[in-house]
Amino acid sequence: MTIFKTLLTTVAISALASTSALAQTLVIKTQKLVTNQQLGVVENGTILIEDGRIKAIGTNADYQADKIIQGETVWVTPGIFAVYSHLGLVEVSAEASTNDINASDADAGLSLRASDSFNPHASNVAVSRLGGITHAAVVPDAGSTIFGGIGMVVSTNGSLDTDPTPRFIYVELGQAGANTAGGSRSAALGYLRSALEDVANPNRYKDGAHDGDVLSRYEASILRRAVRGEIPLMIGADRAADIVNIIKLKKGRMKIIIIGAAEGWMVADRLAAANISVVIDPIENLPYSFDALGTRPDNAKLLREAGVDMAIMTRRVTGAGAHNLRLLTQHAGNAVANGLSWDEAFKAITLAPATMMGMPSLGRLQAGQPANLVVWNGDPLEVTSSVVAVIIDGKVQDLTSRQTQLRDRYHPTRTDKPAYGYRP
């Protein structure tokens, strides 16, 4: 048995990164173990991982293992789940050949799949993993219609065997949707209503007819999954009036997630009564558009007090749809600074988004489940804390990225093999 007593030095980090959780047993002894289940936050918690799965969770437990990791400031939590991202859809935002976020010139909308464009080897995937992001919902933005297409959930393990299962459909309303639909909100809402009516009236496709009022037969079959409540309809909107119109659209088993909701606090009671989830960015505490004139820093707190299911995202302020997704914990920390409890803020970047995507086990640490967790050197919502290790599906992940490689190559203290030279 090897024991790593660590103050989280580089040596200890390397030792943990070399551990194969699938090949042997691993014990992590922590200052705090955040489970997001009935156990809550376990002080001096110990977690045993065996064959890639969580075998047991205890307090000051003396589990035997091939390797033991421990430290005075070690925290272990479920992996961070980014519920809104363009991860793997873009490499260089300004270079069209590397940007698949939307298809602005395509006739298709609903039939577009994020899984067809996702690149697990994009540099922002590894960078996000270093920030503790283990899973992310990949959202295709709206292009030529208000429908962005079919979204997916990915892990940040870099594997080419990505699960293409449709997890939600993205729709853009608000000012962005208005611009796409012809210049007004009524055009965008009218288009969405007509699409929903196409789905609700199958007779429009009777006798082999290919098109309804706005949707083809194939597109209607896709949207029908959202109408039946099989997958959520993710709708972008910030203005309170737009949110009220979305609430009116909900019928039957439909599951709706509103992205943005800068003015959500104004209609929090209505959102809770309609059982509609929202995803907000707590750092957006000043109006960034006329859609968000009523934004305020305690939006998250007010939404949760009203009983609204709420998750936290990174959006415009940090340009974080892909490249700075790793800042998600900092955004959650800002929500705590403005009145949201630590527990609610952390669940808003782990359990809440995983549940919205129908994958709640990814937001909890529980015996019997595959190990998807992050080891930190302190409170993960503190900006000075950093990731020590990431385990996805029981496998300890590599903690290198394009950024760390460039740092190491050009570090001014490097003397063994300088990455530069001079002419004689």
Side-chain angles (χ1 to χ4, degrees):
M1 177 178 70
T2 304
I3 297 180
F4 294 101
K5 266 191 163 179
T6 175
L7 293 176
L8 307 172
T9 63
T10 303
V11 173
I13 293 170
S14 300
L16 182 53
S18 67
T19 302
S20 172
L22 282 176
Q24 54 194 324
T25 55
L26 171 66
V27 164
I28 307 174
K29 296 186 176 182
T30 73
Q31 177 191 15
K32 291 182 184 289
L33 177 60
V34 182
T35 66
N36 281 351
Q37 42 114 335
Q38 287 183 344
L39 291 174
V41 178
V42 181
E43 301 286 340
N44 301 312
T46 306
I47 186 166
L48 170 64
I49 300 171
E50 185 177 286
D51 297 327
R53 290 183 173 271
I54 298 173
K55 180 74 172 179
I57 294 174
T59 302
N60 290 321
D62 190 24
Y63 301 132
Q64 299 301 305
D66 298 308
K67 292 195 176 181
I68 297 177
I69 310 300
Q70 58 186 353
E72 294 176 1
T73 62
V74 169
W75 286 51
V76 171
T77 72
I80 307 301
F81 194 120
V83 74
Y84 177 86
S85 82
H86 303 312
L87 194 67
L89 298 184
V90 59
E91 188 72 51
V92 180
S93 299
E95 173 51 51
S97 65
T98 72
N99 191 336
D100 291 310
I101 291 176
N102 63 27
S104 57
D105 297 327
D107 292 332
L110 258 172
S111 60
L112 299 178
R113 293 173 176 261
S115 58
D116 293 334
S117 297
F118 177 70
N119 176 17
H121 295 162
S123 61
N124 47 60
V125 174
V127 171
S128 298
R129 185 170 64 241
L130 266 65
I133 310 289
T134 59
H135 294 84
V138 180
V139 181
D141 263 1
S144 59
T145 78
I146 62 171
F147 290 104
I150 305 167
M152 65 189 299
V153 170
V154 302
S155 81
T156 58
N157 62 8
S159 171
L160 290 168
D161 298 319
T162 303
D163 180 6
T165 301
R167 294 292 178 182
F168 58 90
I169 294 170
Y170 183 71
V171 186
E172 189 72 70
L173 291 183
Q175 187 56 52
N179 293 339
T180 300
S184 74
R185 283 173 166 77
S186 59
L189 272 166
Y191 189 92
L192 180 55
R193 286 194 193 99
S194 295
L196 293 172
E197 287 172 5
D198 277 349
V199 173
N201 295 282
N203 286 337
R204 294 183 180 181
Y205 302 94
K206 193 175 180 181
D207 300 325
H210 175 68
D211 294 328
D213 284 354
V214 297
L215 298 181
S216 70
R217 179 190 294 269
Y218 177 62
E219 289 173 327
S221 70
I222 295 170
L223 186 58
R224 188 169 291 115
R225 295 195 61 188
V227 171
R228 291 174 175 171
E230 296 172 12
I231 57 176
L233 198 60
M234 186 182 280
I235 305 177
D238 282 300
R239 186 183 288 184
D242 293 332
I243 294 172
V244 170
N245 284 327
I246 292 170
I247 293 172
K248 293 175 182 177
L249 288 175
K250 186 181 178 185
K251 290 181 174 59
R253 297 180 180 178
M254 285 179 65
K255 300 173 185 175
I256 293 179
I257 302 170
I258 297 178
I259 301 295
E263 294 185 349
W265 62 273
M266 295 182 181
V267 290
D269 290 340
R270 299 191 192 194
L271 287 166
N275 195 26
I276 289 177
S277 304
V278 301
V279 179
I280 69 165
D281 187 345
I283 284 186
E284 293 179 355
N285 56 10
L286 292 172
Y288 56 86
S289 74
F290 284 103
D291 276 12
L293 292 178
T295 191
R296 53 188 287 174
D298 57 352
N299 191 16
K301 170 179 174 286
L302 296 174
L303 286 165
R304 283 303 299 141
E305 285 178 347
V308 179
D309 289 331
M310 184 270 303
I312 288 173
M313 66 175 172
T314 60
R315 195 167 56 158
R316 292 182 178 89
V317 175
T318 53
H323 301 296
N324 284 326
L325 201 62
R326 60 188 175 82
L327 300 178
L328 188 52
T329 51
Q330 181 180 342
H331 289 232
N334 271 48
V336 175
N338 286 289
L340 190 65
S341 71
W342 190 99
D343 186 59
E344 292 281 6
F346 192 75
K347 285 180 179 177
I349 56 173
T350 50
L351 182 59
T355 302
M356 289 179 188
M357 292 295 107
M359 311 169 78
S361 63
L362 293 178
R364 294 191 289 250
L365 297 182
Q366 199 161 2
Q369 293 181 172
N372 289 287
L373 57 85
V374 182
V375 184
W376 311 80
N377 65 358
D379 182 345
L381 301 191
E382 291 289 345
V383 71
T384 54
S385 298
S386 58
V387 169
V388 175
V390 175
I391 298 177
I392 299 176
D393 292 330
K395 296 181 180 179
V396 179
Q397 302 297 304
D398 181 25
L399 290 185
T400 61
S401 68
R402 178 67 173 162
Q403 291 180 350
T404 63
Q405 290 170 341
L406 288 171
R407 176 202 66 194
D408 295 342
R409 181 176 183 183
Y410 295 104
H411 198 284
T413 62
R414 180 178 179 181
T415 58
D416 59 327
K417 205 173 189 181
Y420 53 85
Y422 300 96
R423 289 183 179 179

